[in-house]
Amino acid sequence: MRQRIFSAARRMLATLYPLAVLAAIWELLSRSGWVSPRLMPPLEKIFSALLADLANGELIFHTGVSFTRAISGFGLAVVVGIVLGVLMARVRWFEWMFEPIFAFGYPVPKIALYPVFILLLGFGSSSKIALIALECTFPIAVNTYFGIRAVSARLVWSAQNMGAGSTRIFFKVLLPAALPSIMSGLRVALPLSMVIVVITEMIGESSGLGYYITYASASFMYASSYAGVIAIALVGFIMDRTLVLIRDRLLFWEPSGAAQASKLSY
Amino acid sequence: MMSRQAGYTALRWAAGLAMPVALIAAMQLTAGQEDMPRYVVAPTDIAATLWQLLISGDLVDDALASMFRSYSGFVLGAVLGVAIGLLSAVWRQAQAFFDPLVSTLYPVPKIALLPVIITWLGFGDVSKIALISLAVFFPTFINTLYGARGTPVNLVWAARNMGASRVYIFWHVVLPAALPQIFTGLRSGLALSFVVLFATEMVGSHNGLGDMIIRAEEAMRYDWMYASILTIGLLGFLSDRALLAIRRKLLANKYPGEAR
């Protein structure tokens, strides 16, 4: 037991030490006077700004707004992406119609369509959520498609042989076998949702963390702006770790997802 | 038999083109009508505008400015990512520092640093290139590290057995083994570089395609807007194809299966 606590503590220290080194360098630069302390405020100032904005609820409000947008767009993309991916893998004419769109659209920066989304849906949350959903649908649909297509035919045959119907085969064979690939698609898409939400909030918006940091640095409140960066970092990090936890729960037969952090596909 | 095959292919093409053609036809037919909003522009008009902008050179200037930023940022981030990734693969101290750092910061949107980097480096090209290279660094580093670490240990043993030096093993065993995954990292980095480029140009810039889209929208010149959106999409697509072509060339004689 004690040994386990020790090894867990050591692992945590090993993870934290590079961050601590960076923080020390930051503090040194900020105190040395080589860099203007307004550009690199000492950590203590950043944390007091963080606490102050947490206490008056401003940071919590903007974090809530950004998080809601990101997770709504992502949730939409999960549903649409998995359904499209499954249909592409199983229905031939559907594959003919949609596979070229995903193959050609994958490397295209979808964010360039943001002005069109604003024209269609207006400023505010709906255009942002729609853009996040569009951007996240691509990796999810493509990974679902390849995941299901890669399921060994032998598995399907043996299930058929034992008398399983097509619905049963889909839910009991195809979907579980494709789940690792689907999950790695989700893992690619989730950080993307945060990237898109922050970008869209930087452009003509009055709420959300993207707006918060832009506004703070435009009004020379650099400590607050760094506090916003920390908030975004924390949200992105916690979302990713939550997804990894869910993945490891669902895919208990696969090795942990943290190890293959970015095995991107396609 | 032959004709049946041809019919099959034709059907497949028709299905693939159905949605794009339907979208273009719908825009063409509804554009300019009374109750349609102004931002529905006929594709023929967009094509004419695109051609005009190309000839007058306006579009070319903005496209070149964008390409300069995104490619310099990409190359800088890619070189750093591959170099530090390989260093971490062979030197344990470097890995102990960079691996946890990058894994922790990987899901963090680096774009959040945009306002901060602008206050440091100004509104010019430097801040844009710095942010793009930062975004490209992360996927490149992780994929390089895991690709190099995934070198089959049998190959290393075999090389060592035959008397190869550490340097020789690095260049001729580890690097080729890591190459496929390095390209996976580069490819996601390239896609990210265009997203970040667009964001930096929309927020604070006076030229480039991202800025052109905003200018066109403000001036209600929706045909310009679509023309620049098409250009940035095309640039992203062609850059990706170019990277794939390089990958195929480099990997062709090493991994017949991998290169496709």
Side-chain angles (χ1 to χ4, degrees):
Chain A
M1 188 63 204
R2 249 177 81 166
Q3 209 151 20
R4 260 176 61 189
I5 293 175
F6 268 132
S7 80
R10 187 177 301 154
R11 237 177 304 134
M12 223 161 98
L13 272 183
T15 318
L16 286 179
Y17 120 84
L19 285 174
V21 171
L22 282 194
I25 294 175
W26 177 282
E27 192 69 9
L28 214 73
L29 280 177
S30 146
R31 303 238 175 223
S32 68
W34 294 333
V35 194
S36 155
R38 285 181 52 179
L39 290 187
M40 278 180 117
L43 292 173
E44 149 214 2
K45 270 199 180 150
I46 295 176
F47 279 105
S48 66
L50 186 68
L51 287 180
D53 287 348
L54 277 178
N56 66 22
E58 207 174 331
L59 204 52
I60 294 177
F61 166 73
H62 290 298
T63 307
V65 170
S66 292
F67 176 74
T68 312
R69 283 170 181 160
I71 210 72
S72 318
F74 178 73
L76 214 61
V78 170
V79 176
V80 175
I82 292 182
V83 168
L84 281 179
V86 166
L87 285 174
M88 279 199 296
R90 304 300 292 165
V91 184
R92 190 190 289 160
W93 63 265
F94 208 87
E95 181 184 11
W96 288 353
M97 266 178 91
F98 281 91
E99 199 272 333
I101 294 176
F102 279 99
F104 281 99
Y106 200 83
V108 171
K110 269 78 67 184
I111 180 102
L113 289 174
Y114 185 49
V116 181
F117 277 70
I118 292 178
L119 291 172
L120 288 172
L121 301 169
F123 282 103
S125 288
S126 45
S127 59
K128 296 177 176 62
I129 292 174
L131 189 68
I132 295 167
L134 176 72
E135 188 86 44
C136 294
T137 298
F138 275 77
I140 297 175
V142 166
N143 274 284
T144 307
Y145 169 66
F146 282 124
I148 290 190
R149 291 228 332 202
V151 175
S152 157
R154 230 170 289 163
L155 291 181
V156 180
W157 289 337
S158 32
Q160 273 171 341
N161 220 11
M162 289 185 260
S166 57
T167 328
R168 217 178 138 86
I169 289 180
F170 178 73
F171 282 106
K172 296 282 175 187
V173 180
L174 287 176
L175 214 52
L179 206 53
S181 174
I182 296 176
M183 284 316 257
S184 63
L186 298 191
R187 189 99 196 273
V188 176
L190 191 61
L192 263 182
S193 73
M194 271 313 275
V195 172
I196 305 296
V197 84
V198 171
I199 293 177
T200 52
E201 283 171 355
M202 282 177 173
I203 306 159
E205 176 56 50
S206 53
S207 62
L209 286 171
Y211 159 78
Y212 176 83
I213 50 172
T214 320
Y215 173 79
S217 65
S219 26
F220 305 107
M221 305 189 302
Y222 293 123
S224 289
S225 159
Y226 289 111
V229 172
I230 292 178
I232 292 176
L234 280 180
V235 173
F237 182 75
I238 293 171
M239 277 165 81
D240 185 60
R241 280 305 124 104
T242 313
L243 185 66
V244 171
L245 275 183
I246 295 174
R247 177 201 182 279
D248 290 350
R249 244 308 143 75
L250 281 177
L251 297 174
F252 51 88
W253 63 92
E254 283 265 320
S256 166
Q260 15 165 247
S262 69
K263 218 153 168 285
L264 306 174
S265 49
Y266 205 67
Chain B
M1 199 62 205
M2 195 60 214
S3 74
R4 201 173 145 197
Q5 185 73 33
Y8 193 78
T9 316
L11 204 65
R12 187 172 185 157
W13 272 88
L17 289 173
M19 298 238 303
V21 168
L23 180 69
I24 290 173
M27 277 180 86
Q28 186 74 40
L29 290 177
T30 53
Q33 283 183 5
E34 284 286 309
D35 44 355
M36 282 310 273
R38 292 245 333 256
Y39 55 81
V40 180
V41 181
T44 47
D45 290 346
I46 299 175
T49 309
L50 194 58
W51 180 241
Q52 240 169 24
L53 286 172
L54 268 180
I55 291 182
S56 71
D58 289 344
L59 189 65
V60 180
D61 287 345
D62 284 312
L64 284 178
S66 289
M67 279 161 81
F68 170 69
R69 288 165 189 154
S70 87
Y71 293 150
S72 341
F74 174 72
V75 169
L76 195 64
V79 167
L80 282 177
V82 171
I84 299 181
L86 288 174
L87 183 73
S88 304
V90 295
W91 187 31
R92 191 176 311 163
Q93 292 302 318
Q95 196 202 336
F97 184 78
F98 283 107
D99 192 13
L101 192 64
V102 173
S103 317
T104 313
L105 298 182
Y106 189 76
V108 171
K110 265 66 72 182
I111 188 76
L113 289 172
L114 176 59
V116 175
I117 287 193
I118 286 177
T119 57
W120 283 1
L121 302 171
F123 277 100
D125 283 348
V126 184
S127 62
K128 297 178 175 59
I129 293 173
L131 198 63
I132 292 171
S133 54
L134 184 69
V136 173
F137 172 79
F138 280 77
T140 315
F141 170 86
I142 290 201
N143 281 289
T144 305
L145 175 62
Y146 285 109
R149 285 245 313 267
T151 310
V153 77
N154 284 345
L155 296 182
V156 180
W157 285 341
R160 207 179 279 166
N161 217 13
M162 289 184 261
S165 68
R166 284 180 66 106
V167 179
Y168 188 91
I169 291 179
F170 176 78
W171 286 112
H172 291 91
V173 180
V174 175
L175 192 58
L179 216 47
Q181 208 177 339
I182 291 179
F183 270 98
T184 308
L186 288 179
R187 198 162 175 223
S188 35
L190 186 67
L192 264 180
S193 78
F194 274 91
V195 174
V196 176
L197 167 83
F198 184 76
T200 57
E201 285 188 344
M202 270 179 117
V203 169
S205 185
H206 52 85
N207 63 351
L209 292 168
D211 173 59
M212 185 172 173
I213 294 174
I214 296 288
R215 262 184 293 151
E217 196 195 2
E218 276 166 4
M220 308 249 278
R221 284 300 303 266
Y222 295 119
D223 50 340
W224 287 4
M225 188 184 84
Y226 288 113
S228 33
I229 289 176
L230 278 179
T231 314
I232 204 170
L234 204 64
L235 269 184
F237 179 75
L238 291 179
S239 308
D240 183 65
R241 286 297 133 120
L243 188 70
L244 286 184
I246 297 173
R247 175 197 147 101
R248 204 171 308 128
K249 192 135 216 182
L250 279 180
L251 298 187
N253 43 16
K254 296 200 182 73
Y255 303 89
E258 284 270 1
R260 259 196 291 172

